[in-house]
Amino acid sequence: FPVTIGFGIYAGVSSKTLYVRHNKFLNNTVNGTVYGVYVGAGNTITNAFVHNNIVQGSRRSSATGSGTYNGIYMTGYLTAQVYNNRVSDVFSKAGHTGSHYGYYDFASGAGGSLNFYNNTIDSIYTRGTGVVWGAYFSNGATTNRNIYSNKVTRLYSQGGLSGYGLYLGSGDTTHIYKNEISQIRLDSARSLTVAGIYLVSGAGYRVYNNMLHDYSAPNAFASANNAS
């Protein structure tokens, strides 16, 4: 049913240990901002376990608006295990300007860690001008991140400036390996970037044994990169 802000699961609690697992958020219509799974809300979670969730089939009923799409959104944790989740089949109509994130991570506390593995992000499609991000890891104080054995595929924006498979802000030790990132397409004629793995800044990145293929921006005049 159409709503302005939609949450499949909202876990805004302070907890030593939090489990969000084996849930399904399916075939929902949202006009504004949507969160399939939302964990954190500014509270402190010592250990978060988010696994075996399915967020699938979100549609926007309006051809206008700027709300963001977030399949899984994480913030406020110290350590987290995020694995075996699936975010897929997202569609926005032409005229929509909001960004689309399969997974959004707003960092953890200093000294924290994240293991993000065996997740699938498949078929995020917008006919509007929003940027598409398979998985976005923001700037933050996370000390150790392991991002491996994930599949990101079929990201499409008709009018967006950029598309990213994995996007990482600053962080300390980060290992990115055995991920498959494919089929990112942007049809805009404006300046844009298509990137499988995009590293902004930070120390200790290790990127190895990833498979990156099938990117296209046929109408653009800027850059298309596997990793930058």
Side-chain angles (χ1 to χ4, degrees):
F1 54 92
V3 296
T4 302
I5 300 178
F7 295 93
I9 295 174
Y10 183 95
V13 297
S14 294
S15 176
K16 288 187 177 180
T17 302
L18 174 69
Y19 292 92
V20 180
R21 55 190 178 184
H22 299 287
N23 302 287
K24 295 182 179 180
F25 184 62
L26 307 176
N27 303 324
N28 294 278
T29 300
V30 180
N31 289 335
T33 296
V34 60
Y35 302 88
V37 174
Y38 187 109
V39 173
N43 293 300
T44 300
I45 300 168
T46 304
N47 298 292
F49 297 86
V50 179
H51 63 90
N52 295 95
N53 300 288
I54 298 174
V55 182
Q56 180 176 304
S58 292
R59 299 289 184 272
R60 297 190 185 276
S61 61
S62 174
T64 61
S66 59
T68 60
Y69 174 86
N70 307 273
I72 298 174
Y73 186 103
M74 299 278 296
T75 185
Y77 64 84
L78 182 61
T79 66
Q81 310 290 326
V82 182
Y83 60 94
N84 292 350
N85 300 288
R86 180 179 181 86
V87 177
S88 64
D89 301 316
V90 178
F91 176 78
S92 291
K93 295 180 179 180
H96 192 272
T97 61
S99 293
H100 295 66
Y101 303 91
Y103 175 80
Y104 189 105
D105 191 287
F106 196 63
S108 70
S113 64
L114 168 68
N115 289 315
F116 182 84
Y117 60 96
N118 290 348
N119 300 287
T120 297
I121 298 167
D122 186 353
S123 300
I124 298 179
Y125 181 101
T126 176
R127 294 184 61 197
T129 58
V131 176
V132 288
W133 320 72
Y136 178 99
F137 303 86
S138 73
N139 299 342
T142 308
T143 301
N144 296 292
R145 295 183 294 198
N146 295 294
I147 301 167
Y148 62 95
S149 300
N150 301 288
K151 182 175 182 179
V152 179
T153 187
R154 288 188 282 265
L155 307 181
Y156 174 80
S157 179
Q158 188 173 65
L161 295 176
S162 304
Y164 305 93
L166 301 177
Y167 180 102
L168 291 97
S170 64
D172 291 332
T173 304
T174 301
H175 293 259
I176 305 168
Y177 59 97
K178 292 185 179 179
N179 300 286
E180 181 178 0
I181 304 167
S182 66
Q183 299 184 55
I184 304 174
R185 180 184 172 105
L186 304 177
D187 279 348
S188 174
R190 299 177 294 166
S191 298
L192 50 83
T193 298
V194 181
I197 299 173
Y198 194 94
L199 311 178
V200 178
S201 63
Y205 280 111
R206 300 291 184 270
V207 182
Y208 53 95
N209 293 343
N210 299 283
M211 181 180 293
L212 313 170
H213 59 93
D214 295 327
Y215 305 154
S216 62
N219 301 316
F221 51 85
S223 60
N225 304 304
N226 278 336
S228 59

